[in-house]
Every structure is written in C-alpha cells, then in structure tokens.
C-alpha cells in the first residue's frame, strides 16, 4: 500500500493484562482501531478506562499482551528495544502534560535535541529547528530558557520538538492539563492548524471541550471502545 494511503495506526484485537490470578487486571479487552493519515482523533475515558494504557502502547512505551499493531505500515510486534527506539524517535512526536523541557537549555536547543539524537548534521538541524519554532510561532523566543516562557509557550516549544523529526504521528497526552484557559485555547488553535496542514494527531484527554476540537472522538470504558464518533467541522473548530 502506498505511504499516502496506508493508515498511520492499525491495531487489531489489542489485549493488555497486568498481574496474574486474582490480581489480574484487564486494561484493554480486544481493542481494534484504525487512524487514517491526516485524522485528528481525541481519546477519552474515565480513570481505569484503558486510555492511558492505549496511549502507552500507541507510543511504543509498552507492549500488548496480544493483538497486532502496525504503525505507519510497520508491524511493531516483536521488534527488539533498539528497533522500537528507532521507530519511536522517527515516527512519533510526543507532547506531554508536563512539557518535559530541559530547564537550563534554550527553546532552540530543546527543539533541536531529537535531531541530535538521530544524528542529523548541523546545517540540516538548524534549518529544521528554525522551521519548527516558526511553525508554532516562537521564532522570537528561540534563545529563551523554559522559566522565561509562559506555560502555553513552553507547551508550544514541546510541540515544536515533537514536530521537528517530521513524525507520522503526533501523540499528545493531556497536553492542556497544566494550562490556563487562554493558553489552552492557544495550544488547541495550534493543533487545529497542524490538523489543517494534514498532520495525524491522537490526543488523550478527559475534557469534553478539548475533545470537541478533534474531528473524531473515541470513548473507552473498561478497556473497550464504547463509542467512535466523527464530528462535523462546525464542531471541531472554535469549540474551546
């Protein structure tokens, strides 16, 4: 299947169990899910619904007990840790609630870091880092340290860092959880623009107004998909 037409996420009968015997917990119970290229998907669910487990598996931070997962055409089942690390670095951009920026390092250096790990040469690192900062509207803050930036600006630096490797998937875990309402709106507006540009986004959230910005909302309960709903453009823009 050509790269432009194959799904970014294709999981089948995904099961995740923790513990054994009387202490066994079924975190995921046979979840099947496809996310096409360019989709903007919100995953919701109460505590214990399985959404965090699903996020960890999608991000290659955990492995399922059974089932299959193809990420951008690659069957990740059975890959060793080294191979998983390469796929994770090249094909997934992570955005977390806590920003995870290096405190005494500039915004520019934080964004550049994944390219350094990937062995990208300096001229190309400079070009791509500058482009990523421009995309999130922070070219004029490149030399600032994280403590010199607002919470919303720090999260935009984190988004730029996630984008700089040109990943197939942008995976955001409660990205507005530490932000005030104004910064939340700014970050969600950025996600809207990235979606309009064709980025594939999966956003984990427990907030209805955040999920309303996505074009598709998946709700989990007790490790199973309770609903999978596509929303109209009038709902997905300007709702938060």
């Amino acid at each position: 299947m050509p790269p432009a037409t194959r799904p970014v996420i294709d999981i089948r009968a995904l099961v995740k169990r923790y513990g054994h015997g009387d202490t066994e917990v079924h975190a995921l119970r046979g979840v099947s899910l496809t996310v096409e290229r360019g989709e903007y998907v919100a995953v919701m669910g109460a505590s214990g619904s399985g959404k965090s487990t699903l996020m960890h598996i999608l991000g290659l931070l955990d492995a399922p007990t059974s089932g299959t997962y193809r990420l951008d055409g690659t069957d990740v089942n059975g890959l060793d840790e080294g191979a998983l690390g390469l796929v994770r670095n090249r094909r997934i951009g992570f955005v977390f609630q806590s920003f995870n920026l290096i405190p005494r390092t500039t915004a520019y250096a934080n964004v550049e870091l994944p390219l350094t790990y990937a062995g990208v040469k300096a001229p190309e690192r400079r070009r791509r880092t500058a482009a990523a900062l421009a995309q999130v509207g922070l070219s004029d803050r490149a030399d600032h340290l994280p403590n010199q930036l607002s919470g919303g600006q720090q999260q935009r630096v984190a988004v730029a860092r996630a984008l700089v490797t040109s990943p197939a998937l942008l995976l955001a875990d409660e990205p507005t959880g530490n932000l005030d309402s104004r910064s939340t709106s700014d970050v969600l507006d950025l996600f809207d623009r990235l979606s309009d540009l064709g980025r594939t986004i999966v956003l984990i959230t427990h907030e209805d107004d955040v999920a309303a910005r996505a074009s598709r909302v998946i709700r989990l309960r007790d490790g199973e998909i309770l609903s999978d709903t596509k929303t109209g453009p009038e709902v997905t823009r300007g709702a938060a």
Side-chain angles (χ1 to χ4, degrees):
M1 185 180 295
T5 60
R6 68 190 178 207
V8 172
I9 293 172
D10 186 6
I11 60 177
R12 292 286 177 265
L14 214 63
V15 171
K16 182 63 179 182
R17 294 189 296 269
Y18 297 99
H20 299 89
D22 293 341
T23 63
E24 187 174 73
V25 174
H26 290 255
L28 294 176
R29 301 171 181 266
V31 170
S32 294
L33 173 66
T34 300
V35 176
E36 302 294 341
R37 195 168 305 277
E39 278 199 285
Y40 182 2
V41 180
V43 179
M44 302 191 71
S47 178
S49 65
K51 70 179 188 297
S52 294
T53 299
L54 179 61
M55 190 278 292
H56 285 127
I57 291 174
L58 293 179
L60 306 181
L61 302 171
D62 198 359
T65 304
S66 62
T68 62
Y69 176 21
R70 297 184 73 88
L71 172 62
D72 196 28
T74 297
D75 186 350
V76 300
N77 292 52
L79 293 182
D80 61 30
E81 190 53 45
L84 283 173
L86 286 174
V87 174
R88 192 186 302 123
N89 181 262
R90 293 174 181 174
R91 301 198 187 181
I92 304 174
F94 292 95
V95 181
F96 296 103
Q97 178 177 339
S98 57
F99 316 145
N100 290 351
L101 301 179
I102 300 173
R104 297 185 180 182
T105 302
T106 65
Y108 182 96
N110 269 284
V111 173
E112 184 186 39
L113 194 60
L115 299 177
T116 303
Y117 286 151
V120 177
K121 293 184 178 180
E124 180 67 5
R125 289 203 311 268
R126 288 193 292 270
R127 185 190 68 80
R128 291 168 66 174
T129 301
L133 283 166
Q135 192 168 17
V136 302
L138 288 177
S139 296
D140 60 342
R141 297 290 189 271
D143 293 332
H144 286 57
L145 299 175
N147 65 6
Q148 297 172 319
L149 301 171
S150 68
Q153 289 171 334
Q154 289 184 62
Q155 191 60 295
R156 282 192 280 154
V157 171
V159 173
R161 181 183 57 194
L163 294 173
V164 77
T165 58
S166 299
L169 171 65
L170 184 63
L171 187 57
D173 184 19
E174 301 282 3
T176 62
N178 284 340
L179 303 179
D180 59 27
S181 58
R182 175 62 183 274
S183 296
T184 291
S185 182
D186 288 345
V187 169
L188 292 178
D189 285 348
L190 172 59
F191 278 26
D192 287 350
R193 294 194 297 273
L194 293 172
S195 177
D196 290 341
L197 290 170
R199 289 284 180 182
T200 306
I201 303 170
V202 174
L203 182 151
I204 312 296
T205 184
H206 66 277
E207 300 179 55
D208 287 323
D209 57 344
V210 173
R213 301 290 282 263
S215 57
R216 179 179 171 195
V217 179
I218 296 169
R219 295 180 185 271
L220 298 179
R221 185 171 69 186
D222 298 330
E224 298 178 311
I225 294 178
L226 178 66
S227 64
D228 184 347
T229 307
K230 290 191 175 181
T231 58
E234 72 279 0
V235 177
T236 61
R237 295 294 180 261

